[in-house]
């Protein structure tokens, strides 16, 4: 019986394996021979000491942070969840760096869109301080004390911000689908550094563009520069530019009509003039004749026509060229709605329509929660516009700087409008609210409590206003914690005591359900996968994903339990069976259990 690995996905090992697949000739005794790799890559190697690069103090350590697996877990919290049994949405409380690591196996390549609104590094917002040696312990320490800001007087002002953001973006890229996209809100303070980091992580070729939106409604006359900064940015990168483009803006179909009852359907007139300065192309310069009136139209000398003479005549014969009745008019062509490659057109980089202001976002939160709990929440209208640009019907949308949970609100509203099935995963550090704040006085002790309540109320309001009761307005809450398994979370300070504790390797204050979800994360099963609890002889068998994984985490397991699990084995695909290492009645039962499972076609048997 194999032991489960208690760590999240080892990204460094994954990268090495990818290299081995691409260039098997550079592998020597299982390791990468970099001298051979240089030969394989030929002239694409940068050897100069002086080269274009973006670096800062701590960058190497940040990369190590991203590649170091996590041994933590996510513990279910049904009490603060909503519609636990049926929802496919997640709300995760914890340090997003560790959470992103823990999501690697279960959500690798499954997220369609990432949207984040990270700290802008204004001097007052919190910048996470990671600990390379033990970030889980560091997280627990953070949640037991007030967080601190990153003021401009700090000599590592930009450096600390970069060291915070770099590993998180690095890991988040792995979660994106091949056609996935990331949107990042930012302002003038760090946009230059943000784009340089994203270019390194996602690749310069995968830069899509930058949206600019008017975030301030009124001019700020207090700004010492004399310029009121009324805008913010949304920086956009995709995972793979091949075949990728934003959805764009829906075409205005009201511009199309069919006054002549053309059997090809709705159309609009379009210019047939050539491009400016195309006078050097003689094949575009020729007269055309109206076949009904015989009137001749000469081409403009500076542009010519858009099409060659042969193509133009073909369009005339097909009735696609409209000739004017007035003397000062020019011929135009019919563009048919049904012949368009897409019903969407390009979108402006300046978002001006229906995206609201930051003030609108504040009002939305205040209206729902009856109090001013966030200073600068993004308006739902802005986030709906962003979601539409990288969308698909069953998209998973990830926001690991969740804040006021505006992205969840936006996704639920969109689902109510088009009946799609978008799902969200939100991650938020449970930062304390200021004891003097309105939020604290209203009973919200940390930001997660506010975010969850906002989703609850927003969902209920959407259902009330639309009458649609089949919407997914729930969310499963999980909280970051140390592993449930002592073996995966060793007592380094007292190894002798730790060895004695391995006789029962599950921590005393943890439940079987805690252990269940840790196992799902470690074997790569999404946290919203259907789970059936099968009761047998007073014990519970967990049937995950219709038999894909069968688990019994009880004590005193006998062969009757094993035989009951065999009955749950699916006929059309392989199954994995997992027990608790110390759960069997005795060693003889454990040995017989493994043999019985193998005789019945179950060869993947593991223990924790």
């Amino acid at each position: 019986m194999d032991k489960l690995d208690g760590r999240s996905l080892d990204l460094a090992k994954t990268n090495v394996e990818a290299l081995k697949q691409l260039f098997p000739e550079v592998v020597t005794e299982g390791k990468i021979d970099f001298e051979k790799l240089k030969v394989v890559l030929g002239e694409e190697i940068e050897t100069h000491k002086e080269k274009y690069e973006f670096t800062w103090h701590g960058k190497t350590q940040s990369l190590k942070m991203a590649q170091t697996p996590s041994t933590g877990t996510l513990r279910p919290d049904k009490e603060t969840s909503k519609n636990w049994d049926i929802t496919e949405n997640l709300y995760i409380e914890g340090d997003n760096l560790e959470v992103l690591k823990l999501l690697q196996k279960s959500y690798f390549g499954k997220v369609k869109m990432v949207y984040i609104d990270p700290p802008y590094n204004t001097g007052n917002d919190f910048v996470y301080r990671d600990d390379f040696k033990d970030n889980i312990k560091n997280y627990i320490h953070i949640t037991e004390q007030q967080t601190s800001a990153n003021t401009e007087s700090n000599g590592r002002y930009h450096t600390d911000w970069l060291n915070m953001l770099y590993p998180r973006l690095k890991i988040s890229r792995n979660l994106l689908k091949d056609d996935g996209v990331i949107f990042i809100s930012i302002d003038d303070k760090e946009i230059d550094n943000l784009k340089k980091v994203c270019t390194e992580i996602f690749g310069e070729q995968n830069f899509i563009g930058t949206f600019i939106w008017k975030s301030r409604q009124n001019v700020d006359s207090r700004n010492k520069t004399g310029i009121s900064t009324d805008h913010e940015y949304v920086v956009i990168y995709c995972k793979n530019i091949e075949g990728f483009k934003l959805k764009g803006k829906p075409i205005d179909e009201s511009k199309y009509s069919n006054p002549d009852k053309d059997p090809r359907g709705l159309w609009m007139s379009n210019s047939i003039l050539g491009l400016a300065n195309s006078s050097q192309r003689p094949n575009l310069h020729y007269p055309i004749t109206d076949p009904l009136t015989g009137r001749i139209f000469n081409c403009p000398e500076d542009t010519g026509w858009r099409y060659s003479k042969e193509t133009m005549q073909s369009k005339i014969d097909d009735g696609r060229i409209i000739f004017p009745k007035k003397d000062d008019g020019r011929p135009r062509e019919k563009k048919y709605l049904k012949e368009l490659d897409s019903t969407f057109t390009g979108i402006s980089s300046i978002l001006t329509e229906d995206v609201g202001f930051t003030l609108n976002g504040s009002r939305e939160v205040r209206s729902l929660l009856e109090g001013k709990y966030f200073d600068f929440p993004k308006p739902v209208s802005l986030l709906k516009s962003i979601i539409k640009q990288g969308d698909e019907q069953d998209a998973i949308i990830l926001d690991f700087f969740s804040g006021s949970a505006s992205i969840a609100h936006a996704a639920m509203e969109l689902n109510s409008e088009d009946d799609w099935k978008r799902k969200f995963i939100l991650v938020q550090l449970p930062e304390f609210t200021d004891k003097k704040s309105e939020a604290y006085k209203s009973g919200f002790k940390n930001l997660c409590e506010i975010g969850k309540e906002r989703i609850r109320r927003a969902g209920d309001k959407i259902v009330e206003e639309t009458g649609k009761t089949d919407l997914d307005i729930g969310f499963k809450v999980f909280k970051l914690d140390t592993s449930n398994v002592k073996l995966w979370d060793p007592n380094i300070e007292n190894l002798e005591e730790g060895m004695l504790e391995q006789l029962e390797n599950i921590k005393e204050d943890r439940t079987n359900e805690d252990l269940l979800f840790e196992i799902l994360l470690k074997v790569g099963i999404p946290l919203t996968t259907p789970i059936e609890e099968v009761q047998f002889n007073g014990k519970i068998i967990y049937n995950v994903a219709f038999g894909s994984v069968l688990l019994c985490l009880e004590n005193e397991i006998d062969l009757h339990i094993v035989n009951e699990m065999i009955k749950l084995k699916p006929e059309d695909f392989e199954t994995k069976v997992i027990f608790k290492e110390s759960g069997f009645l005795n060693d003889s039962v454990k040995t017989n259990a493994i043999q019985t499972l193998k005789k019945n076609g179950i060869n993947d048997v593991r223990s924790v």
Side-chain angles (χ1 to χ4, degrees), residues 69-86:
S70 175
T71 57
T73 189
L74 300 177
R75 298 177 65 186
D77 179 10
K78 290 186 176 181
E79 185 176 342
T80 65
S81 300
K82 180 177 182 179
N83 301 340
W84 174 276
D85 292 329
I86 59 174

Side-chain angles (χ1 to χ4, degrees), residues 27-240:
V27 179
T28 302
E29 295 184 334
K31 296 184 178 181
I32 302 296
D33 185 330
F34 277 93
E35 293 305 316
K36 284 186 180 179
L37 182 59
K38 288 179 182 179
V39 174
V40 170
L41 296 177
E43 296 180 358
E44 299 300 320
I45 297 289
E46 176 60 76
T47 58
H48 295 91
K49 291 183 178 180
E50 293 183 348
K51 52 183 176 286
Y52 179 78
E53 62 179 334
F54 178 51
T55 190
W56 63 90
H57 180 73
K59 183 179 181 181
T60 301
Q61 192 80 331
S62 292
L63 181 58
K64 290 181 180 179
M65 284 291 299
Q67 295 180 326
T68 304
S70 175
T71 57
T73 189
L74 300 177
R75 298 177 65 186
D77 179 10
K78 290 186 176 181
E79 185 176 342
T80 65
S81 300
K82 180 177 182 179
N83 301 340
W84 174 276
D85 292 329
I86 59 174
T87 186
E88 293 188 75
N89 300 316
L90 295 176
Y91 188 100
I92 303 173
E93 299 184 25
D95 170 15
N96 50 19
L97 179 60
E98 291 302 305
V99 172
L100 288 170
K101 291 179 182 180
L102 291 170
L103 295 178
Q104 291 292 300
K105 286 185 179 179
S106 298
Y107 293 92
F108 192 97
K110 294 180 180 178
V111 173
K112 173 63 178 177
M113 180 191 309
V114 173
Y115 168 80
I116 58 171
D117 185 11
Y120 282 10
N121 212 14
T122 61
N124 295 317
D125 47 5
F126 172 65
V127 174
Y128 300 43
R129 312 224 183 267
D130 301 314
D131 186 325
F132 179 70
K133 293 182 179 178
D134 192 343
N135 209 40
I136 292 286
K137 185 177 180 180
N138 179 54
Y139 162 70
I140 293 172
H141 177 67
I142 288 174
T143 56
E144 292 174 351
Q145 64 177 347
Q146 291 292 339
T147 56
S148 59
N150 183 35
T151 62
E152 290 191 54
S153 60
N154 175 17
R156 293 162 54 98
Y157 177 64
H158 294 290
T159 295
D160 284 348
W161 187 83
L162 286 166
N163 284 330
M164 177 276 296
L165 195 62
Y166 182 75
R168 289 162 172 83
L169 288 176
K170 184 79 174 174
I171 300 174
S172 69
R173 182 184 180 278
N174 298 326
L175 299 176
L176 283 175
K177 299 174 68 172
D178 285 341
D179 62 349
V181 60
I182 182 169
F183 299 85
I184 308 173
S185 283
I186 201 69
D187 68 1
D188 284 321
K189 186 80 73 173
E190 293 288 3
I191 185 170
D192 293 336
N193 286 331
L194 173 65
K195 289 182 67 175
K196 288 173 184 174
V197 166
C198 287
T199 292
E200 179 169 323
I201 292 172
F202 295 95
E204 186 174 11
Q205 74 280 7
N206 293 319
F207 173 61
I208 300 299
T210 302
F211 285 144
I212 302 170
W213 67 285
K214 186 174 172 62
S215 57
R216 185 187 296 277
Q217 190 169 16
N218 300 312
V219 173
D220 181 10
S221 59
R222 299 168 298 174
N223 195 309
K224 61 184 180 181
T225 65
I227 296 178
S228 176
T229 304
D230 298 341
H231 66 278
E232 291 183 14
Y233 308 95
V234 180
V235 176
I236 312 163
Y237 282 77
C238 67
K239 189 171 184 178
N240 185 357

Side-chain angles (χ1 to χ4, degrees), residues 379-429:
V380 170
S381 54
L382 170 69
L383 298 184
K384 286 169 68 175
S385 296
I386 290 172
I387 290 173
K388 288 177 182 178
Q389 290 309 306
D391 217 358
E392 62 185 15
Q393 288 201 18
D394 57 351
I396 295 178
I397 302 169
L398 169 64
D399 181 353
F400 52 90
F401 287 98
S402 169
S404 64
S406 294
I407 200 75
H409 191 163
M412 291 189 297
E413 271 199 15
L414 281 175
N415 285 343
S416 73
E417 294 169 8
D418 56 22
D419 295 323
W420 283 14
K421 303 294 182 182
R422 302 171 186 85
K423 298 170 277 289
F424 59 80
I425 301 175
L426 305 190
V427 186
Q428 175 59 43
L429 188 78

